[in-house]
Amino acid sequence: MSNGQQPTAPTPGTWAEPRKILVILAHPDDPEFFCGATLARWARAGHHIEYCLMTCGDKGYNDTTTPQHVSTAELCGRRHEEQRAAASVIGARAVHFLDRPDGYLVADLELRRDIVRTIRRLRPDIVVTCDPQTLFAAYGINHPDHRAAGQAVLDAVFPAAGNASYFPELIAEGFAPHMPSEIWCALTNQPSVILDVTDTWPMKLEALLKHSSQIGDIEKFKARMLTRRVEGSSEENPRFEEKFRVVKYG
Ligand SMILES: [Zn+2]
């Protein structure tokens, strides 16, 4: 530029035009736990958000809230309902379930094909998933379903979703190749984008409370979530961040 200034790069996660954002993760409650405040901000900004969850979380059992006699089928149904209510708080427009068995997710070709089909059918600009390299999280060992989900989504995005040579049977089903332009991986230990999400943190909390089969004591849960504030910010005036590893195409 003539005045010697560099043009300002656009802030990550702010798009001038409405974007279609597809969140693909393993379990009900993952979207809210991993990145709910960011999703709420994007919905508030007018972007179109949908979720695709690979399992219905039928082993996601909390001894203090879920009676022992609840069957996996009942819990699956309950978690669908909880997830739809939470998505509605966030401002997501639809929730799709692949309903694979909870806890046994494997990033195999069948799962990859199902995700490629979903991407080609819904044609998102942005895909949100989680970082498959996260073996250890702040709370201990990262759930194997989270790792498998992240791996399957990344493998589906590249090189398969946008390339007609992969899964040609999906073309026969009517789903043309489609390549998203950005992939946002939450739950990462290698963030490239850190967003201050203090303003929409209350929406994340409200959405999480819809997952009542998972939450247990509400006050203890709220206290635990308050400990996730940015180091150095106070309990009275907390600041919150969500972190992502972002890959861009095109
Ligand atoms: Zn999970």
Side-chain angles (χ1 to χ4, degrees):
M1 295 174 82
S2 58
N3 61 6
Q5 290 180 342
Q6 294 297 317
T8 311
T11 308
T14 59
W15 300 282
E17 300 295 324
R19 289 291 190 271
K20 184 164 190 183
I21 299 169
L22 179 60
V23 183
I24 316 176
L25 290 165
H27 307 124
D29 81 21
D30 287 351
E32 288 79 27
F33 267 120
F34 297 175
C35 51
T38 300
L39 298 176
R41 172 190 290 184
W42 286 340
R44 198 185 260 184
H47 302 297
H48 178 108
I49 299 177
E50 297 190 22
Y51 294 175
C52 173
L53 301 173
M54 298 179 194
T55 79
C56 63
D58 53 85
K59 296 187 185 70
Y61 197 101
N62 185 317
D63 289 343
T64 61
T65 58
T66 312
Q68 295 284 340
H69 63 267
V70 169
S71 68
T72 54
E74 280 176 89
L75 187 53
C76 184
R78 183 168 169 191
R79 298 208 65 186
H80 279 207
E81 281 174 33
E82 291 174 349
Q83 182 57 84
R84 289 203 175 91
S88 162
V89 171
I90 294 296
R93 309 283 186 88
V95 185
H96 311 273
F97 293 97
L98 300 183
D99 282 346
R100 285 165 177 266
D102 188 12
Y104 297 151
L105 215 52
V106 175
D108 58 13
L109 283 175
E110 200 185 330
L111 182 59
R112 195 187 306 179
R113 181 192 295 110
D114 281 352
I115 298 165
V116 169
R117 180 187 291 107
T118 303
I119 290 171
R120 289 184 183 179
R121 181 164 65 86
L122 299 175
R123 312 188 80 72
D125 303 300
I126 316 293
V127 165
V128 178
T129 188
C130 58
D131 187 342
Q133 290 189 311
T134 301
L135 179 54
F136 300 106
Y139 50 81
I141 298 170
N142 187 20
H143 196 296
D145 281 356
H146 298 162
R147 288 179 269 136
Q151 186 71 55
V153 172
L154 296 188
D155 293 349
V157 166
F158 181 82
N163 185 329
S165 300
Y166 288 86
F167 304 119
E169 64 273 29
L170 297 179
I171 310 263
E173 289 178 28
F175 303 122
H178 173 76
M179 184 65 183
S181 58
E182 297 184 23
I183 318 302
W184 286 59
C185 298
L187 200 71
T188 183
N189 293 324
Q190 307 163 84
S192 58
V193 172
I194 298 176
L195 300 178
D196 185 316
V197 292
T198 307
D199 55 345
T200 49
W201 192 264
M203 293 172 74
K204 171 183 175 120
L205 265 188
E206 187 189 339
L208 279 169
L209 290 175
K210 299 293 183 190
H211 296 283
S212 54
S213 67
Q214 310 299 303
I215 296 301
D217 184 280
I218 290 175
E219 291 314 312
K220 280 186 191 159
F221 174 75
K222 285 182 174 172
R224 198 163 70 242
M225 291 301 289
L226 186 56
T227 67
R228 296 199 181 182
R229 66 188 182 275
V230 172
E231 205 174 322
S233 69
S234 66
E235 277 188 27
E236 297 70 34
N237 197 16
R239 247 180 15 85
F240 295 96
E241 292 173 342
E242 286 178 344
K243 302 176 184 183
F244 300 88
R245 184 166 187 170
V246 180
V247 181
K248 293 187 182 183
Y249 287 95

